Amino acid sequence: MKNEERLAGYLWFHVMKEEKKAFLYHIYILDAFRKQGIAREALRFFEEEARKLGAASLGLHVFGSNENAIELYRKLGFKQASVSMNKIL
């Protein structure tokens, strides 16, 4: 992803054509570019590209402590599909 020809972050995803699913492996926005709508734009790009490549659904993983990301994903229509828990000893 570039902002005015400067690298703002990256997006890594894969589309499984036979399953008609796309999965977002990683999205990262550099600190200097956060809170500017770039992540939202990147996720819309992910959705558009996945749709073009035949995906009927999108998936991703987000850590429960990443409240900002969870809020953004929910605003973009993602729903919770599972819960993973751990306990620090």
Side-chain angles (χ1 to χ4, degrees):
M1 297 172 302
K2 291 188 178 183
N3 181 329
E4 298 175 15
E5 297 304 316
R6 295 186 333 181
L7 183 67
Y10 61 85
L11 182 70
W12 176 30
F13 67 90
H14 178 71
V15 177
M16 296 155 277
K17 291 182 181 182
E18 290 183 16
E19 294 88 355
K20 297 188 179 197
K21 296 179 180 180
F23 193 83
L24 177 65
Y25 291 112
H26 200 95
I27 181 171
Y28 181 76
I29 306 300
L30 296 168
D31 288 340
F33 295 96
R34 292 186 181 178
K35 301 291 184 184
Q36 297 178 32
I38 293 172
R40 180 183 304 270
E41 184 179 328
L43 290 164
R44 286 190 177 133
F45 171 82
F46 165 50
E47 184 173 339
E48 290 169 16
E49 290 301 304
R51 187 177 284 119
K52 286 179 193 175
L53 294 169
S57 67
L58 306 176
L60 58 83
H61 175 267
V62 60
F63 288 105
S65 61
N66 193 343
E67 295 173 4
N68 290 334
I70 292 169
E71 181 180 347
L72 174 60
Y73 296 144
R74 284 187 174 143
K75 285 180 181 176
L76 294 174
F78 287 85
K79 305 281 188 228
Q80 182 174 311
S82 66
V83 175
S84 176
M85 300 176 76
N86 70 345
K87 179 178 180 178
I88 305 299
L89 300 178

